[in-house]
Amino acid sequence: MNDLTAGNPPMALDLKGITKAYNRGSSAQVDVLRGVDLSLQPGEVVALVAPSGAGKSTLLHIAGLLDTPDAGSLSIAGQEVTGLGEGSRTRLRRRDIGFIYQFHHLLPEFTAAENIILPQLADGTRPKEAEQRARELLDLVGLSARAAHRPAELSGGEQQRVAFCRALANRPSVLLADEPTGNLDPGTSDQVFEVLMELVRSSGLAALIATHNLDLAARMDRMLRLEQGKLLQIS
Ligand code: ADP
């Protein structure tokens, strides 16, 4: 019996036996992921810590359907991904996965509100509802007064808060974040991280957040370390 038939909510993210290798040059092969198992329950916030080059981005990209594993299975919000065509993968990514990068990647020619509205329109949300959702999210991160500003008119911390809103706009099941405050000075980083945690907790979504900052990692529900291609639980 699987989670769905048992009446339990499905895992937000479930990875089993994920492997990924890259060919480097003509001969050497780098085994980046050597059998990664990871289950995130709805509402669970998990830190991913790893030294540079350990394969953190590779893992986040596979979990976020931006890359495919060599072997293993992956499901998101109870939907098995293996074997899905590109169109279904894109829909699942748009609807169920929020991605936050170290750099905000907002569209420079659009306002803060428009950057949050656009992914919703792409997912078929009506313009009025999308505007309302953008307003609510900007309010949650304390940026109501900045809705009509373009990214260049915002500080680094503000840009990143808008990027959080954009990632959550379509109410995803899982949030994947790659060093979400790594580009900010330490004081701003702490404040912005606080905002992210409040947003994640109030949304009830599962989050996998890669960070080098062990103080921030210690504030999540558990901490995983990616080492030699495997995930180890360290707290
Ligand atoms: P991290 O995010 O932990 O710094 P990455 O996932 O970016 O690590 O990379 C893990 C390893 O895989 C590194 O040794 C990197 O050089 C290698 N790698 C990543 N992407 C590719 C690629 N497209 N082709 C070849 N090697 C790659």
Side-chain angles (χ1 to χ4, degrees):
M1 201 163 19
N2 65 26
D3 284 345
L4 286 172
T5 53
N8 296 323
M11 284 292 171
L13 178 69
D14 207 9
L15 309 184
K16 287 202 177 72
I18 297 289
T19 67
K20 183 77 177 179
Y22 292 112
N23 287 317
R24 195 172 282 160
S26 53
S27 54
Q29 174 175 304
V30 190
D31 294 316
V32 181
L33 304 177
R34 301 166 181 250
V36 166
D37 298 315
L38 168 66
S39 297
L40 290 192
Q41 290 181 359
E44 204 178 16
V45 181
V46 175
L48 174 64
V49 294
S52 195
K56 169 176 64 61
S57 302
T58 301
L59 176 58
L60 289 169
H61 285 165
I62 289 173
L65 309 185
L66 297 167
D67 198 357
T68 49
D70 296 333
S73 67
L74 163 62
S75 70
I76 292 167
Q79 161 95 58
E80 176 60 51
V81 175
T82 320
L84 286 185
E86 203 41 55
S88 305
R89 282 172 65 91
T90 302
R91 266 193 301 283
L92 193 58
R93 181 164 58 229
R94 201 187 281 146
R95 200 159 287 178
D96 274 300
I97 299 167
F99 225 108
I100 301 172
Y101 301 88
Q102 193 167 351
F103 184 68
H104 60 81
H105 294 298
L106 296 171
L107 298 170
E109 65 275 39
F110 292 100
T111 65
E114 287 164 348
N115 267 280
I116 304 166
I117 290 168
L118 286 170
Q120 299 180 73
L121 299 183
D123 194 39
T125 306
R126 293 208 184 104
K128 280 261 173 306
E129 279 170 46
E131 282 167 29
Q132 173 66 20
R133 173 87 179 136
R135 263 198 300 277
E136 281 166 16
L137 284 164
L138 284 169
D139 191 32
L140 279 174
V141 301
L143 288 179
S144 295
R146 297 274 192 252
H149 291 226
R150 292 208 166 79
E153 298 160 345
L154 302 173
S155 71
E158 288 169 343
Q159 290 166 343
Q160 205 56 343
R161 277 145 71 190
V162 176
F164 299 167
C165 295
R166 179 190 49 188
L168 266 64
N170 286 335
R171 297 187 168 84
S173 308
V174 56
L175 177 73
L176 301 168
D178 197 352
E179 297 278 350
T181 61
N183 222 12
L184 305 171
D185 66 73
T188 309
S189 164
D190 283 356
Q191 280 172 13
V192 169
F193 184 80
E194 200 60 52
V195 171
L196 176 62
M197 289 304 277
E198 277 171 24
L199 201 54
V200 167
R201 297 287 189 197
S202 67
S203 315
L205 86 174
L208 181 63
I209 303 177
T211 179
H212 284 303
N213 186 326
L214 292 181
D215 291 335
L216 299 185
R219 291 169 43 202
M220 302 187 211
D221 298 328
R222 56 192 170 103
M223 208 187 295
L224 300 173
R225 185 176 173 83
L226 184 59
E227 204 172 280
Q228 301 193 335
K230 301 247 185 189
L231 274 183
L232 312 171
Q233 176 126 354
I234 50 175
S235 76

